[in-house]
Amino acid sequence: MPRLIVVSNRVADIHSSNAASSGGLAMAMAGALKEEGGVWLGWSGETSDDGDGPPQFSTVDNVTLAKIDLSRQHVEEYYNGYANRTLWPLFHHRTDLTSYEQSFSESYLDVNRTFAQAIRSFVKPDDVIWVQDYHLIPLGRELRALGIDNRIGFFLHIPWPARELFVTLPQHSDLVWSLFGYDLVGFQTEKDLTAFRDYFQTELKTQQDDEGLIDLFGRRLLARSYPISINPSEMAELSNTEAAANSFRRMREGNEECKILLGVDRIDYSKGLPNKFAAYNRFLERFPERRGTAKLLQIGQPSRSLVEEYQDLGEELMAEAGRINGRFGRLDWTPLSYHTQSYGRDALAGIYRAADACLVTPLRDGMNLVAKEFVAAQDPADPGVLLLSRFAGAAEQLTEAVFVNPYDKEQTAEAIVQAIDMPLDERQDRWRAMFDTISRSSLTAWKNNFMADLKNEDRPETPDRAEIYAF
Ligand code: GDG
């Protein structure tokens, strides 16, 4: 059977399913690899003084982790630079935060070459290679340049940007062209796929067919959408653990008369945390009779703390939480609890289940797994309400959520009232529909659909892969 090689910027501790510090991509890939077995290659998180290192292997059960150290300059310019200060803000439509530094893009290519060399050192002819996310867009082309002819797929976990913004990137055509190194390119949503196709239609006047094939100068690119998900049965199992029962009990104790609104987000400007706090503040202002009847628990996971914008955001949120509590708090009621510590996944399952509503209000988000985890962790007899930003990729599937526009604090404040007052039968109807969607379109289905398309023998071949590099 062909081996699966997953490549992403970082690899997670796959054997600790309860790891508290992993983001959405890591959780999803760990789940997919545990089912399939194979190799997971990525940066170790360590900085080396002797340049980028060769991969160091460790194997447990059916998964081999291959980790590479990166040079100090590459960590600064590739990871903190091009990935987190150029592509991430640009793809999340924050051109005001986007750095267009030439040296960043050079290090980005260097690191992609390092990854390609590492794969060449252990790849076997039948292996299927699956590259993840914006850190590694050119990797397929670099692999082709080394003569690697295996099936190679790419999946973008974040949204594809609108053409008008994408073309502000000096390397926009090079990045798009490098995608022709892949046999299959996957996006989270139909919306992302449409934005991607718009680039070809408008910028390059290219032919496309309904199957997702894009023709350019005789070369072909197959692009489709594959909404990522979770495995709901895993969340249900976690909800039944002792840690989940403990966190559930501790959340509910003393809150019998108080509705718990929950937020779980990485501390990232794309997640719309200041907007959420502003909407909650507005809810307390506009509906004084509701004070003391609801509270917001916001769990914020620190991330990318070496990037200045992230440090500023962390401080802004602390200050804003303090202001809201100072203004509205009473001896017996703290309106907003803001925690930055991480919880185990089992404890998190109990927290989700204890909440009356979850506020998922990103300004722009590839998918958002928190929305799906919250739904999966609910008690079917008494489910909580999902408030979901229309700008999260998950909004394309979870159509029975209460939608909010996070830029509109009046509407979001009203949606909080709607969630608090929602009758049980409506909560159950909405929850059942969303749970069914997640069950049909699980993480396993996501992986299987992508792999089936990637391995599909009927798909037309790109005529001459080596030429992609020479373009
Ligand atoms: C990127 C895209 C896309 C959070 N706090 C704790 C904790 N978490 C876990 C959640 C969830 C994950 O982190 C966050 O996933 P998201 O999908 O919400 O967001 P990103 O990290 O930005 O992920 C996103 C995703 O990739 C997958 O393609 O959906 O759009 O931006 O799994 O549970 N986990 C634990 N403790 C915490 O305190 N254990």
Side-chain angles (χ1 to χ4, degrees):
M1 210 171 102
R3 202 170 52 149
L4 173 63
I5 300 177
V6 168
V7 195
S8 59
N9 173 59
R10 291 292 300 273
V11 295
D13 183 359
I14 196 162
H15 306 295
S16 168
S17 60
N18 203 25
S21 60
S22 308
L25 182 152
M27 292 321 306
M29 294 326 297
L33 256 170
K34 267 193 276 183
E35 279 180 7
E36 196 91 0
V39 184
W40 191 356
L41 173 81
W43 173 36
S44 61
E46 300 296 323
T47 307
S48 150
D49 289 325
D50 312 318
D52 299 345
Q56 305 289 329
F57 297 94
S58 61
T59 302
V60 184
D61 301 333
N62 58 349
V63 181
T64 299
L65 299 182
K67 298 186 187 176
I68 300 172
D69 296 346
L70 292 178
S71 74
R72 203 167 296 284
Q73 185 190 355
H74 282 164
V75 171
E76 197 40 48
E77 294 181 346
Y78 148 80
Y79 179 65
N80 291 323
Y82 204 71
N84 288 337
R85 290 179 56 205
T86 302
L87 295 181
W88 177 273
L90 179 63
F91 282 40
H92 287 88
H93 288 181
R94 292 297 303 267
T95 39
D96 57 321
L97 300 179
T98 303
S99 167
Y100 295 92
E101 195 67 51
Q102 175 70 23
S103 62
F104 288 178
S105 65
E106 286 160 12
S107 279
Y108 179 70
L109 280 180
D110 284 349
V111 171
N112 272 270
R113 286 181 190 129
T114 297
F115 272 61
Q117 296 282 0
I119 293 166
R120 184 168 66 170
S121 70
F122 64 82
V123 70
K124 296 181 184 153
D126 280 346
D127 290 346
V128 175
I129 303 171
W130 193 3
V131 179
Q132 309 294 323
D133 227 1
Y134 61 102
H135 312 82
L136 300 170
I137 293 172
L139 180 56
R141 178 184 64 185
E142 298 304 326
L143 287 165
R144 300 296 183 215
L146 296 177
I148 291 169
D149 200 35
N150 299 48
R151 293 282 161 141
I152 314 179
F154 175 79
F155 184 77
L156 185 70
H157 290 254
I158 64 174
W160 185 264
R163 179 179 44 81
E164 293 89 335
L165 300 183
F166 183 52
V167 295
T168 65
L169 188 70
Q171 302 83 25
H172 67 89
S173 52
D174 188 60
L175 273 192
V176 166
W177 185 247
S178 70
L179 286 170
F180 281 77
Y182 295 106
D183 296 293
L184 175 64
V185 172
F187 296 98
Q188 296 274 27
T189 65
E190 286 297 312
K191 236 188 247 171
D192 296 319
L193 191 56
T194 305
F196 184 67
R197 293 170 76 106
D198 176 50
Y199 179 89
F200 287 91
Q201 230 144 27
T202 313
E203 192 72 17
L204 303 173
K205 316 274 182 266
T206 307
Q207 298 282 330
Q208 319 190 14
D209 75 3
D210 293 341
E211 296 294 300
L213 264 180
I214 300 173
D215 268 297
L216 191 62
F217 305 132
R219 294 185 201 121
R220 282 173 162 176
L221 170 68
L222 184 62
R224 290 195 177 152
S225 79
Y226 302 86
I228 201 167
S229 196
I230 58 161
N231 279 331
S233 54
E234 189 225 0
M235 202 31 84
E237 267 169 43
L238 287 170
S239 302
N240 288 325
T241 58
E242 209 180 309
N246 275 338
S247 57
F248 180 90
R249 190 175 30 76
R250 290 173 64 193
M251 289 261 294
R252 300 285 356 162
E253 259 169 17
N255 286 318
E256 290 77 11
E257 303 304 319
C258 195
K259 299 283 183 182
I260 301 176
L261 313 170
L262 175 69
V264 178
D265 302 89
R266 262 189 322 101
I267 301 176
D268 190 298
Y269 45 81
S270 66
K271 303 291 182 187
L273 287 160
N275 304 59
K276 190 189 308 194
F277 284 10
Y280 182 61
N281 184 70
R282 189 68 193 122
F283 158 77
L284 296 173
E285 269 173 358
R286 257 184 72 184
F287 305 103
E289 71 285 2
R290 304 274 178 170
R291 293 179 199 160
T293 67
K295 54 166 67 170
L296 173 60
L297 166 62
Q298 177 64 52
I299 296 171
Q301 241 199 349
S303 72
R304 305 176 193 171
S305 41
L306 291 176
V307 178
E308 202 181 320
E309 287 80 19
Y310 287 76
Q311 294 161 6
D312 295 347
L313 178 61
E315 281 165 25
E316 181 191 339
L317 293 170
M318 287 285 188
E320 195 45 38
R323 269 194 288 274
I324 292 175
N325 285 331
R327 183 169 168 205
F328 298 104
R330 298 191 309 226
L331 281 180
D332 58 350
W333 173 61
T334 304
L336 200 169
S337 305
Y338 175 51
H339 301 179
T340 57
Q341 70 263 36
S342 289
Y343 294 85
R345 282 185 70 70
D346 45 11
L348 191 60
I351 294 172
Y352 283 138
R353 204 176 174 97
D356 295 286
C358 190
L359 274 55
V360 179
T361 59
L363 305 179
R364 189 164 161 80
D365 212 336
M367 179 54 61
N368 196 296
L369 294 178
V370 168
K372 294 185 172 181
E373 290 167 1
F374 173 75
V375 171
Q378 294 309 296
D379 174 1
D382 186 18
V385 179
L386 176 65
L387 255 70
L388 181 59
S389 163
R390 52 179 297 172
F391 307 119
E396 221 169 69
Q397 290 180 297
L398 302 181
T399 49
E400 294 77 13
V402 173
F403 284 121
V404 295
N405 170 4
Y407 293 95
D408 184 347
K409 59 183 178 201
E410 301 296 334
Q411 189 255 329
T412 308
E414 286 158 20
I416 292 175
V417 174
Q418 185 188 350
I420 289 173
D421 292 346
M422 192 177 286
L424 178 63
D425 55 349
E426 184 180 348
R427 282 192 275 129
Q428 284 174 329
D429 289 349
R430 287 177 184 257
W431 175 81
R432 168 59 56 199
M434 292 191 284
F435 186 77
D436 287 350
T437 302
I438 297 171
S439 303
R440 272 196 312 272
S441 165
S442 64
L443 177 67
T444 304
W446 170 76
K447 177 204 66 183
N448 289 345
N449 291 341
F450 189 96
M451 292 309 280
D453 284 354
L454 181 56
K455 291 177 186 168
N456 183 1
E457 296 296 333
D458 301 336
R459 191 186 28 74
E461 287 289 328
T462 294
D464 185 351
R465 287 164 163 168
E467 270 181 39
I468 288 163
Y469 197 71
F471 179 75

